[in-house]
Amino acid sequence: VEPGLWVCAEAALPAALANPALGITHLISIGYPPPEDPTGKGDAEGGVKVLSIELEDDEDGDLLTQIPAATAFISDGLRLREAARAMAAAAVTDDTTDDATKT
């Protein structure tokens, strides 16, 4: 499992979202009918992005057709996380460079 990729039951979601140290940015919500936005915040700027998947929990549930959208959503979240890390590292490097030129 990728670091930062969390899997939890719906009941554990409020506690996970309340913990900023987890850095949750993307959430896949699966159910039949699909649950309403489990974050309760919608697509607010800077909020958690949610992909809702309608899937019955029985042998007729068609998980295979949902995999491409889910993996693309996860890939997007991982890409954004890496971009944020790169920007943070660049900012630290800039700060270090600025401090070195001041002495």
Side-chain angles (χ1 to χ4, degrees), residues 30-32 52-70:
I30 302 172
Y32 184 81
S52 292
I53 296 176
E54 184 172 331
L55 184 66
E56 293 186 62
D57 187 14
D58 64 24
E59 62 189 42
D60 293 329
D62 189 6
L63 178 61
L64 290 178
T65 61
Q66 306 299 327
I67 291 174

Side-chain angles (χ1 to χ4, degrees), residues 63-88:
L63 178 61
L64 290 178
T65 61
Q66 306 299 327
I67 291 174
T71 55
F73 186 78
I74 292 168
S75 293
D76 181 58
L78 295 174
R79 181 185 56 77
L80 291 173
R81 181 186 69 187
E82 290 305 314
R85 284 183 180 170
M87 287 176 50

Side-chain angles (χ1 to χ4, degrees), residues 4-6 13 16-17 19-28 39 42-44 46-51 73-82 84:
L5 182 61
W6 292 85
L13 189 58
L17 290 173
N19 184 348
L22 296 179
I24 296 172
T25 60
H26 288 65
L27 170 68
I28 298 175
T39 67
D43 286 332
V48 174
K49 294 183 181 184
V50 178
L51 172 64
F73 186 78
I74 292 168
S75 293
D76 181 58
L78 295 174
R79 181 185 56 77
L80 291 173
R81 181 186 69 187
E82 290 305 314

